[in-house]
Amino acid sequence: MSTDPIDQTARAPWLDLPADHPFGLGTLPYGVFSTEGTAPRVGVRIGDQVLDAGACAEQAGMESGEVWLAPCLNPFLAQGRPAWDAARAWLVEVLTNDSLRDCVEPHLLDLEDVRLHLPVEVADYVDFYASEHHATNVGRIFRPDSEPLTPNWKHLPIGYHGRAGTVVVSGTDVVRPTGQRKAPTETAPTFGPSIRLDIEAELGFVVGAATELGRRVSVDDADDHLFGVVLLNDWSARDLQAWEYVPLGPFLGKSFATSISAWVVPLAALAGARLPLPAQDPQPLPYLLGDGTPWGLDVHYEVELNGTVVARPEYRDLYWSPAQMLAHLTVNGASVRPGDLFGSGTISGTDRGTRGSFLELSWNGTEPIELADGSTRSFLEDGDTVVIRGWAPGPDGTRIGLGEVRGTIIPAR
Amino acid sequence: MSTDPIDQTARAPWLDLPADHPFGLGTLPYGVFSTEGTAPRVGVRIGDQVLDAGACAEQAGMESGEVWLAPCLNPFLAQGRPAWDAARAWLVEVLTNDSLRDCVEPHLLDLEDVRLHLPVEVADYVDFYASEHHATNVGRIFRPDSEPLTPNWKHLPIGYHGRAGTVVVSGTDVVRPTGQRKAPTETAPTFGPSIRLDIEAELGFVVGAATELGRRVSVDDADDHLFGVVLLNDWSARDLQAWEYVPLGPFLGKSFATSISAWVVPLAALAGARLPLPAQDPQPLPYLLGDGTPWGLDVHYEVELNGTVVARPEYRDLYWSPAQMLAHLTVNGASVRPGDLFGSGTISGTDRGTRGSFLELSWNGTEPIELADGSTRSFLEDGDTVVIRGWAPGPDGTRIGLGEVRGTIIPAR
């Protein structure tokens, strides 16, 4: 079991933070913010405030805080686990030690006064397909006459590379993509805005410490390389995807936008949320097992469309662990870099209410979803706003907040 | 027809360069080099020398040459077509004007005295599949009972994202990748070093000027965004690829290494090598056509294994044009960034001797290739060295050199 370097039950007396705040001292996520006239730099969220981490570190004489003056988390990520743990301990110290209040307080800004930016300059982005229920649903919908899972599915975490340059921060509008589609009944493709625009509720893993080309990361060493998590919405144009994806996989059906939450929650904050994986049968090859117990995460999701909660996926349902995904990604010698991001794939359970995409929720459009305003949806319309929220258990019944990832569809150009 | 901003027949009197040198004044490719104790920076190849471009520009008082002090081409790429054209004209001026000789000569280094680095910090890497003959060969080999081309193949340039972080410069050793494979006759996958390690001879296109998310690049505007070309070897582990690639495409079978030549040849240098595309039937959708004539490139290839030339692919055989690939890549609103790289896909013709992969050359191992030393190969063995060379026609029967991309296989770790 991994442990958090800090005591998650510590209190910050002068911060006046409710004990059950999802961004208490047990969370301390990192993001990138700016204010009017100042350059983007690293901030740490505490309650509904943002600590200007680099400025605070500078005033406190903490030299290694220089990396927080960068406009992205990458230099901090590159430092590796010991530095991440030390930073986390330092943050708790300055936020709880009364004698440091004068040093800290000037560097706390109200969340509503800052602008949040993409926290990470994404190096390579990989999307996995780690939910058995999601893969089964998709197989049943698209290949009703075959086995829903392909023969390789339970032997390796299937994944593919996505477009790193179109990963955007929560709140960024999503332009409806345009492209080719062809219904099975049509003889030639047609061109136009996507008519089957969808979401995929995922968890994203942010990689920190780099590796050398030709070296693998074992399952047991994954903690040295996995820095933290974001909520991830892998926007998907199902009509473009269906026509293009054979034989080389999804491309334009996905590459127009991938949204992530503004706050990267350190994996350390989720130490108490680790769970055993569901049973894996057949047993994976040794490189996917390691010496410890494969772990999943107890992260709860809420998917909201225009104010109506339409699904509550559970990350614990996933078949492959994050450490297995990283070990697989590097088993061929592929190197990782600070800022690499990989998504879990859509998180879906067995019940309709736990499915993480509209493709599954509406069962390919045959069972539209009712919203609170009386309208129905199979896929997204222009003006629709999707918000995905997540949280994990913290100590004493509190929550570790993962925040939200939000996006509104604007018409095709 | 695109034109080169310079006169490719200009001569540099004091450089003493043979008129038929493939790196004459008509080529002028950009790379990144360092010398013992100096930092990597941009160089321009002329003959068998490298011009320290930033230092020369500084001495000549050319302010915009500052971008050449960077350790990669990306800042220069970001400046866009007018700056690229101006730089090319400036280089010819300083290399041909006798009165500037004292200003230039101290900044010319012998190629053998410099170390070459990856010229571009690769942002996103996409690999296309634009050769009809290659796609047909692969279809016949892997899906002998189906139509060799999938139904979408002649409607869109099929592509997928690859791993940007494992693009390496020519000369980098390639560690044989390890992973899962399963023969159709086996009941479960096995694990080990790849036993079907292959190459793919491609042309790589380096994107310069960025676009905004949600905006497309039309076929007619492609020249504003395409900076230049590199030779590209998309190393492929066929056994890993065959087991993993359904349904989401190639992943670990490709992501362990992609090699590119050290010199990026500006597209301007290839203005005289543009050719009409082979006929496209059915006619592609309008966004893939534009107002001009779709153009291909007259680039000749030579694939050498351990000193034996095993293939001579011709880029002119490709079905989709580079401008069509870029227009397709962005038609869904996906943005591009300076340093984006896309590969053409394996370049293969109709004859055996023009196939750009060992999979095709050995017809899936059934017709091994004979080397000059009497040995045979279906796929690559440890210690094998592959060199891919390329050139295009220049003025008056000369050649525009594309240099080489070279790699040696070292044993799995």
Side-chain angles (χ1 to χ4, degrees), chain A residues 117-133:
Chain A
H117 303 267
L118 190 66
V120 172
E121 191 178 308
V122 180
D124 269 300
Y125 166 50
V126 166
D127 198 23
F128 282 97
Y129 193 50
S131 161
E132 180 178 358
H133 306 299

Side-chain angles (χ1 to χ4, degrees), chain B residues 182-247:
Chain B
K182 191 183 91 59
T185 53
E186 293 170 334
T187 54
T190 53
F191 182 80
S194 169
I195 53 174
R196 289 160 64 87
L197 186 54
D198 198 358
I199 65 157
E200 297 199 332
E202 305 192 12
L203 194 60
F205 295 87
V206 175
V207 175
T211 60
E212 185 196 337
L213 189 63
R215 299 282 173 195
R216 310 175 198 164
V217 178
S218 72
V219 166
D220 298 320
D221 289 342
D223 272 334
D224 293 340
H225 297 275
L226 293 175
F227 171 74
V229 301
V230 287
L231 300 173
L232 189 150
N233 184 351
D234 177 29
W235 304 94
S236 300
R238 302 296 178 194
D239 43 352
L240 314 191
Q241 185 183 348
W243 170 231
E244 74 179 356
Y245 91 107
V246 175

Side-chain angles (χ1 to χ4, degrees), chain A residues 124 155 163 165 180 252 332 340, chain B residues 124 155 165 180 252 332 340:
Chain A
D124 269 300
H155 292 283
R163 191 160 186 81
Q180 295 192 26
L252 301 189
N332 67 345
D340 277 357
Chain B
D124 270 300
H155 292 283
Q180 295 192 25
L252 300 190
N332 67 344
D340 278 357

Side-chain angles (χ1 to χ4, degrees), chain A residues 159-218:
Chain A
Y160 67 100
H161 284 91
R163 191 160 186 81
T166 52
V167 176
V168 297
V169 70
S170 174
T172 306
D173 288 340
V174 173
V175 179
R176 180 179 296 274
T178 294
Q180 295 192 26
R181 63 171 163 275
K182 192 184 90 59
T185 53
E186 293 170 334
T187 55
T190 53
F191 182 79
S194 169
I195 53 174
R196 290 161 63 87
L197 187 53
D198 198 357
I199 64 158
E200 297 199 333
E202 306 192 12
L203 194 61
F205 295 87
V206 175
V207 175
T211 60
E212 185 196 336
L213 189 62
R215 298 282 174 197
R216 313 175 197 165
V217 177
S218 72

Side-chain angles (χ1 to χ4, degrees), chain A residues 26-299:
Chain A
T27 309
L28 296 178
Y30 295 86
V32 169
F33 78 99
S34 65
T35 55
E36 184 99 21
T38 68
R41 56 201 183 276
V42 174
V44 175
R45 181 163 176 182
I46 176 76
D48 297 317
Q49 294 186 296
V50 178
L51 179 70
D52 187 340
C56 179
E58 196 169 50
Q59 185 170 343
M62 188 228 192
E63 274 179 33
S64 55
E66 243 184 27
V67 287
W68 292 330
L69 300 174
C72 62
L73 286 172
N74 299 49
F76 176 53
L77 296 177
Q79 295 186 316
R81 169 70 50 204
W84 309 335
D85 285 350
R88 196 160 160 81
W90 178 82
L91 286 166
V92 170
E93 168 67 14
V94 297
L95 289 167
T96 54
N97 187 332
D98 245 349
S99 70
L100 295 172
R101 179 173 178 172
D102 292 345
C103 181
V104 175
E105 215 163 15
H107 303 295
L108 281 170
L109 297 96
D110 284 342
L111 197 52
E112 62 196 21
D113 295 334
V114 308
R115 184 175 160 206
L116 296 172
H117 303 267
L118 190 66
V120 172
E121 191 178 308
V122 180
D124 269 300
Y125 166 50
V126 166
D127 198 23
F128 282 97
Y129 193 50
S131 161
E132 180 178 358
H133 306 299
H134 169 67
T136 302
N137 287 339
V138 170
R140 284 197 181 125
I141 289 171
F142 287 130
R143 298 177 292 270
D145 301 325
S146 320
E147 279 294 311
L149 295 184
T150 50
N152 52 10
W153 203 93
K154 290 203 167 179
H155 292 283
L156 52 82
I158 291 176
Y160 67 100
H161 284 91
R163 191 160 186 81
T166 52
V167 176
V168 297
V169 70
S170 174
T172 306
D173 288 340
V174 173
V175 179
R176 180 179 296 274
T178 294
Q180 295 192 26
R181 63 171 163 275
K182 192 184 90 59
T185 53
E186 293 170 334
T187 55
T190 53
F191 182 79
S194 169
I195 53 174
R196 290 161 63 87
L197 187 53
D198 198 357
I199 64 158
E200 297 199 333
E202 306 192 12
L203 194 61
F205 295 87
V206 175
V207 175
T211 60
E212 185 196 336
L213 189 62
R215 298 282 174 197
R216 313 175 197 165
V217 177
S218 72
V219 166
D220 298 319
D221 289 342
D223 273 334
D224 293 340
H225 297 275
L226 294 175
F227 171 74
V229 301
V230 288
L231 300 173
L232 189 150
N233 184 352
D234 177 30
W235 304 94
S236 300
R238 301 296 178 194
D239 41 353
L240 314 191
Q241 185 184 348
W243 170 231
E244 74 179 356
Y245 92 106
V246 175
L248 300 184
F251 184 36
L252 301 189
K254 303 280 194 170
S255 66
F256 57 95
T258 305
S259 300
I260 62 171
S261 51
W263 297 106
V264 184
V265 175
L267 260 191
L270 301 176
R274 293 199 181 190
L275 287 171
L277 275 194
Q280 295 184 316
D281 181 25
Q283 180 170 294
L285 285 161
Y287 80 92
L288 291 168
L289 287 179
D291 297 327
T293 309
W295 50 274
L297 288 168
D298 191 18
V299 178

